[in-house]
């Protein structure tokens, strides 16, 4: 192909790109600067040179790099030359937008040449990615790429080898382009499109082509409108027909994988049908969420082959003996519910087809592929169940097979009995590395069971689950017993309403497991009870507190630290839903054992810090639940906590110190001012010392806990806290007044935006921003603390009234954090009350406050916060004796704002009703019902405010009229989701 740029440009670009891929940071930075300079001055020339280099470069690496770089550069904001003024962020166009029609045409021609002539499949995929990006962006700008459409359709018919590219490779690339840019086919006749897709799905030569066609078909159906979707229902049959041949040939060589790659890729590892079937299922899974109804006619046929994929192969392995109850070797563990094991003559061997033994690496790879396939098939079924529970509920056996598969998978721990247990017992569960367990296969099966229970409800899940769980609890294998307990914990949330009827049997089933011989089973028993106390809060505590305490309290003395720490953690869940009178009879033995964990006798070197941290946390919760009755234990506990605060220095003790701060504050509140008073000064001095110490940049929790503990001390001391306000208020007001740390994202940054740790994305005025969440959370906590100070101290808070109002009023419009706005709205009537009681409130403060409230009410779009604004506006009025205290100007202002909100809410509800009538299939009544429930709260608070002005206010009729425009879907039976 003839060159489109001068040779010297090509030579210069070659050198720049070579420097970009070097590991030397200085050379690479210089190359990046050179790229930006040339793009600022002559973007067209260098973009064309880059696209030409993607064709002519000698190595695959450089051709791939050229295509990736071209894709990144085209749609980033165009760099400006030093002499040019910098435009505002929102006005910056991309490099693509600066290119002439002639350059765009040449660029497209070069990329199409690369697509049809590239011999390496790896480079060709980069070409596909760049082309689909270019096509999508061009269509968004009203520039269709007809040549791409024509060439892609032509490539779907490619046979043999053309220009050094085999036909299968060209067909695969064509379907991948359709997958990446479904708009290419959206304006064509449906029959022609379906014919092309069906031909690719049935390609006999290459499995890669079939997979690419499947990607394209899923993208097309996902992007289709309701009319196109109705005309394309027949496409799902050939899509699903790609699965059974793979499922029936798992142990055979890949079906139709010849000649799909070039010789340059011959060294790539072989790919099995296990991998391909996993990939095909994962490709189909998103469609189960977007258009689940498409699968309705195929559920029975799916059920004919999916169970074999999600259930483990039965392989009994060596026979257990008394001396060796958990023998290893022989392949997969037997099914969780099969004992004694069946005849193992049909079990798989560890030899290949020629009888030669497989290597350990090959066995591990095979095992991983089988595991991935099981989880992929399970994810397909779970996603479909979540999207349309009523649809799959009608298919006999569907739910039952998923439940069994999850229970089987939860018991498949891949570890040696002795070494695995020792590692688990030594592990510190509080460190981040131990969270890797959540990514293990048993944990993934557990999460799947949880999701299924939440989707299907108790009537569908509990019968098949408890067909197996009781026998699992009696299994000889600790892993199966562990799985049974974790299963009960997993399904509690989704099946709670139905589980309540059988709760006594469940508690009787779980309680004996606290005495199990295996520590991981005892740990699971703690987890199970703790989770049930959260999911069935108050009910389980009220009905079965005696049985639960009889197992939880002794578990605090379990010989294994991980177990007794988890028992203490489960007690927290219990105390969160317990009545004070229920807890009191058990208070002494609980505190006695927790104190032993916090301050154990014996060798200090053997003390586990995470156990002490958990003991302190649980003591705090127990104190909070038992309130003043905790006073008898105060003399033993508070000195220990103060001692921790004195001595817990250094990075290893960060968590212990903040937990001690939190516990001391909660205990102080629980026992009251009189009991706490003798230690109040000591605790305050320790907090002051910690606050004034040089900051540790790696201690990200200290600031949060300091603010929270000061607030608790204020609540405990009441008016006696007033002298300490000068210590806490300056930093608190500074935190409350902090500006949002914003980062404007351009379009090419959005893919990385969601992955940026510690940041969230929001959209304001059409622009996407990143917001640093830590600053926002601290700001919210600061306002919540101001609420505590002001409500506790009343008139004594008045020295800080003006400063607090100055910070609070603007933050009613702080759209970056809902919690900040809520706290500010709640704080306003308290500040007004403080000022009135102390005679420090000026007319300027009052008028400014009501003006800001009325303006916010008038302009607010969030119905949830609108309800809060009306509520706290009414409370602010009551501070001054009611509506009569409001000047005529503000009286008229709030009525006008209310009329505006009523009109806005009425328009929204009418528009929803019209949309529901015209597009019933695209309308989610449950979601809209939730939206309107929030609006009803706003209407309710609006009505209360109007009634305070006049019980017969004419706008009250309008409030009722707007409420009647809603769907009122939330008046139905709570358990309705489990019907059908």
């Amino acid at each position: 192909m003839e060159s489109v740029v001068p040779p010297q440009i090509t030579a210069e670009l070659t050198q720049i790109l070579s420097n970009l891929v070097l590991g030397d940071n200085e050379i690479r930075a210089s190359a990046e600067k050179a790229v930006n300079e040339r793009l600022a001055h002559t973007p067209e020339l260098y973009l064309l040179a880059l696209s030409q280099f993607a064709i002519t470069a000698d190595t695959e690496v450089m051709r791939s790099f050229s295509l990736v770089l071209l894709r990144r550069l085209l749609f980033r904001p165009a760099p400006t030359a030093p002499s040019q003024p910098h435009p505002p962020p929102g006005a910056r166009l991309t490099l693509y937008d600066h290119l002439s029609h002639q350059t765009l045409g040449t660029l497209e021609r070069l990329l199409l040449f690369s697509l049809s002539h590239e011999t390496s499949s790896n480079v060709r995929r980069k070409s596909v990615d760049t082309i689909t990006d270019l096509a999508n962006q061009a269509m968004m700008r009203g520039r269709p790429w007809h040549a791409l459409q024509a060439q892609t359709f032509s490539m779907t018919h490619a046979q043999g080898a053309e220009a050094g590219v085999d036909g299968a490779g060209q067909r695969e690339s064509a379907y991948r382009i359709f997958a990446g840019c479904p708009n290419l086919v959206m304006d064509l006749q449906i029959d022609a499109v379906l014919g092309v897709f069906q031909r690719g799905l049935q390609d006999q030569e290459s499995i890669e082509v079939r997979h690419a066609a499947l990607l394209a078909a899923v993208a097309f159906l996902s992007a289709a409108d309701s009319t196109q979707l109705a005309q394309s229902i027949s496409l799902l049959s050939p899509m699903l027909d790609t699965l059974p041949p793979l499922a029936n040939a798992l142990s055979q060589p890949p079906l139709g994988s010849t000649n799909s790659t070039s010789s340059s890729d011959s060294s790539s590892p072989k790919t099995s049908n296990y991998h391909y079937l996993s990939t095909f299922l994962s490709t189909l899974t998103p469609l189960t969420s977007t258009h689940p109804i498409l699968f309705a006619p195929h559920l029975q046929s799916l059920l004919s082959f999916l169970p074999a994929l999600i259930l483990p192969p039965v392989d009994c392995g060596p026979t257990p003996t008394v001396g060796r109850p958990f023998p290893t070797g022989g392949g997969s563990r037997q099914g969780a519910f099969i004992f004694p094991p069946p005849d193992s003559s049909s079990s798989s061997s560890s030899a290949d087809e020629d009888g030669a033994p497989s290597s350990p690496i090959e066995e591990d790879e095979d095992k991983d592929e089988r595991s991935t396939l099981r989880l992929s098939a399970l994810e397909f079924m779970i996603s479909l169940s979540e999207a349309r529970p009523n649809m799959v509920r009608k298919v006999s056996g569907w739910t039952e097979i998923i439940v069994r598969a999850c229970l089987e998978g939860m018991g498949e721990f891949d570890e040696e009995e002795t070494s695995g247990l020792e590692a688990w017992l030594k592990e510190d569960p509080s460190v981040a590395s131990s969270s890797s367990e959540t990514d293990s296969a048993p944990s993934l099966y557990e999460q799947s069971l949880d999701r299924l229970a939440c989707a299907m409800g108790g009537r569908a899940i509990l019968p098949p689950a408890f067909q197996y769980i009781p026998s699992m609890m009696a299994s000889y294998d600790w892993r199966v017993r562990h799985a049974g307990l974790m299963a009960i914990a997993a399904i509690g949330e989704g099946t709670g309403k139905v589980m309540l009827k059988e709760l006594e049997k469940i508690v009787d089933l779980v309680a004996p497991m606290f005495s199990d011989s295996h520590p991981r089973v005892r740990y699971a028993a703690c987890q199970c009870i703790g989770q049930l106390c959260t999911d069935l809060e108050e009910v389980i505590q009220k009905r079965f507190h005696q049985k639960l305490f009889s197992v939880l309290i002794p578990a605090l003395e379990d010989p294994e630290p991980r177990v007794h720490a988890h028992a203490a953690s489960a007690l927290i869940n219990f105390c969160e839903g317990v009545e004070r009178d229920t807890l009191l009879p058990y208070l002494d033995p609980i505190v006695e054992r927790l104190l032993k964990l916090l301050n154990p006798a014996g060798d200090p070197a053997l003390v586990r810090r995470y156990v002490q941290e958990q003991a302190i946390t649980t003591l705090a919760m127990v104190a909070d639940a038992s309130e003043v009755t905790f006073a008898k234990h105060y003399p033993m506990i508070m000195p220990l906590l103060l001692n921790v605060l004195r001595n817990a220095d250094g990075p290893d003790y960060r968590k212990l110190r903040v937990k001690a701060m939190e516990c001391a504050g909660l205990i102080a509140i629980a026992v009251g001012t009189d009991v706490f008073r003798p230690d109040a000064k000591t605790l305050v001095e320790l907090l002051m010392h910690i606050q004034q110490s040089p900051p540790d940049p790696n201690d990200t929790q200290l600031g949060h806990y300091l603010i929270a503990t000061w607030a608790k001390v204020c609540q405990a001391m009441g008016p006696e806290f007033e002298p300490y306000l000068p210590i806490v208020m300056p930093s608190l007001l500074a935190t409350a007044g902090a500006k949002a740390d914003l980062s404007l994202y351009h379009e090419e940054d959005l893919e990385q935006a969601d992955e940026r740790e510690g940041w969230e994305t929001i959209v304001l005025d059409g622009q996407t921003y990143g917001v640093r969440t830590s600053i926002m959370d601290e700001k919210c906590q600061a306002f919540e603390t101001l609420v505590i100070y002001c409500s506790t101290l009343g008139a004594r808070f008045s020295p800080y009234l003006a400063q607090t109002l100055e910070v609070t009023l603007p933050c009613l419009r702080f759209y970056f954090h809902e919690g900040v706005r809520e706290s500010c709205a709640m704080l306003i009537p308290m500040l007004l009350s403080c000022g009135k009681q102390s005679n420090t409130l000026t007319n300027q403060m009052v008028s400014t406050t009501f003006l800001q409230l009325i303006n916010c009410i008038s302009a607010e779009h969030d119905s949830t916060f609108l309800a809060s604004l009306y509520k706290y506006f009414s409370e602010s009025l009551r501070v001054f004796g009611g509506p009569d205290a409001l000047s005529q100007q503000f009286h008229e202002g709030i009525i006008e704002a209310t009329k505006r909100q009523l009109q806005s809410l009425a328009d929204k509800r009418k528009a929803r009703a019209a949309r529901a009538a015209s597009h019933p299939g695209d309308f989610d009544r449950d979601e809209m019902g939730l939206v309107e429930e929030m609006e009803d709260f706003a209407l309710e608070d609006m009505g209360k405010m109007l009634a305070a002005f006049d019980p017969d206010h004419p706008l009250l009729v309008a409030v009722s009229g707007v409420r009647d425009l809603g769907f009122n879907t939330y008046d139905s039976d709570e358990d309705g989701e489990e019907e059908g």
Side-chain angles (χ1 to χ4, degrees), residues 805-845:
L805 263 178
E806 189 177 342
V807 171
T808 302
L809 290 177
C811 287
L812 289 171
R813 297 176 181 270
F814 193 80
Y815 299 110
F816 305 109
H817 198 293
E818 294 177 5
V820 170
R821 297 208 292 160
E822 284 288 343
S823 298
C824 290
M826 185 187 301
L827 183 57
I828 284 173
M830 295 178 184
L831 291 172
L832 294 176
S833 177
C834 163
K836 189 179 181 195
Q837 293 173 33
S838 59
N839 293 318
T840 56
L841 200 62
T842 65
N843 290 334
Q844 179 68 29
M845 288 180 183

Side-chain angles (χ1 to χ4, degrees), residues 158-174:
Q159 298 295 329
E162 299 177 15
V165 184
D166 60 274
Q170 292 208 42
R171 297 196 300 276
E172 179 195 349
S173 297

Side-chain angles (χ1 to χ4, degrees), residues 326-499:
F326 310 115
T328 58
S332 301
R333 182 186 60 79
Q334 69 171 36
F337 323 118
I338 304 171
F339 190 82
D343 177 38
S344 60
S345 59
S346 61
S347 63
S348 61
S349 68
S350 59
D352 61 23
E353 292 177 355
D354 298 324
S358 303
S359 71
I361 295 178
E362 289 176 337
E363 288 182 1
D364 287 344
E365 289 176 352
D366 181 62
K367 186 176 181 181
D368 288 344
E369 287 188 341
R370 290 169 185 264
S371 177
T372 301
L373 174 57
R374 285 176 62 190
L375 288 165
S376 299
L378 182 64
E379 178 62 28
F380 177 89
M381 296 183 78
I382 294 283
S383 298
L384 194 52
S385 303
E386 286 179 315
R388 276 295 174 95
N390 286 334
M391 180 178 77
V392 301
R393 198 179 279 128
K394 298 172 184 175
V395 181
S396 177
W398 180 275
T399 305
E400 290 79 358
I401 201 67
I402 301 178
V403 169
R404 175 167 179 172
C406 290
L407 294 176
E408 290 272 14
M410 287 171 65
E412 295 174 0
F413 284 89
D414 186 17
E415 63 180 34
E416 292 288 337
E417 167 60 16
T418 305
S419 59
L421 178 60
E422 287 177 357
W424 183 83
L425 290 173
K426 290 178 181 177
E427 189 177 40
D428 182 347
S430 65
V431 299
S433 60
S434 61
S435 65
S436 60
E437 275 195 13
T438 60
D439 297 326
S440 66
S443 181
L444 294 174
Y445 285 109
E446 180 187 336
Q447 294 166 31
S448 297
L449 185 61
D450 180 13
R451 290 166 55 195
L452 185 72
C454 290
M456 305 296 291
R459 295 177 195 170
I461 299 299
L462 287 180
F466 278 90
Q467 178 185 349
Y468 302 116
I469 288 175
S471 62
M472 293 173 71
M473 305 287 235
S475 172
Y476 79 97
D477 190 338
W478 73 267
R479 294 170 292 188
V480 180
R481 302 197 300 275
H482 182 280
L485 288 164
M486 298 302 285
I488 295 174
I491 63 178
E493 180 185 3
T495 67
K497 294 173 187 174
V498 182
M499 186 183 279

Side-chain angles (χ1 to χ4, degrees), residues 828 832 836 843 845-855 857 869-870 872-898 945-946 948-950 953:
I828 284 173
L832 294 176
K836 189 179 181 195
N843 290 334
M845 288 180 183
V846 174
S847 61
T848 301
T849 300
F850 278 105
L851 181 63
Q852 180 76 331
L853 281 171
I854 292 169
N855 287 341
I857 287 173
L869 286 171
Y870 273 109
Y872 295 117
F873 180 88
S874 298
E875 288 188 11
S876 299
L877 278 181
R878 284 196 288 273
V879 170
F880 298 98
D884 292 340
L886 207 61
S887 69
Q888 186 64 27
Q889 171 195 355
F890 293 139
H891 186 285
E892 293 173 357
I894 189 62
I895 296 303
E896 284 302 313
T898 301
M945 185 213 71
L946 291 169
F949 277 86
D950 179 359
H953 199 289

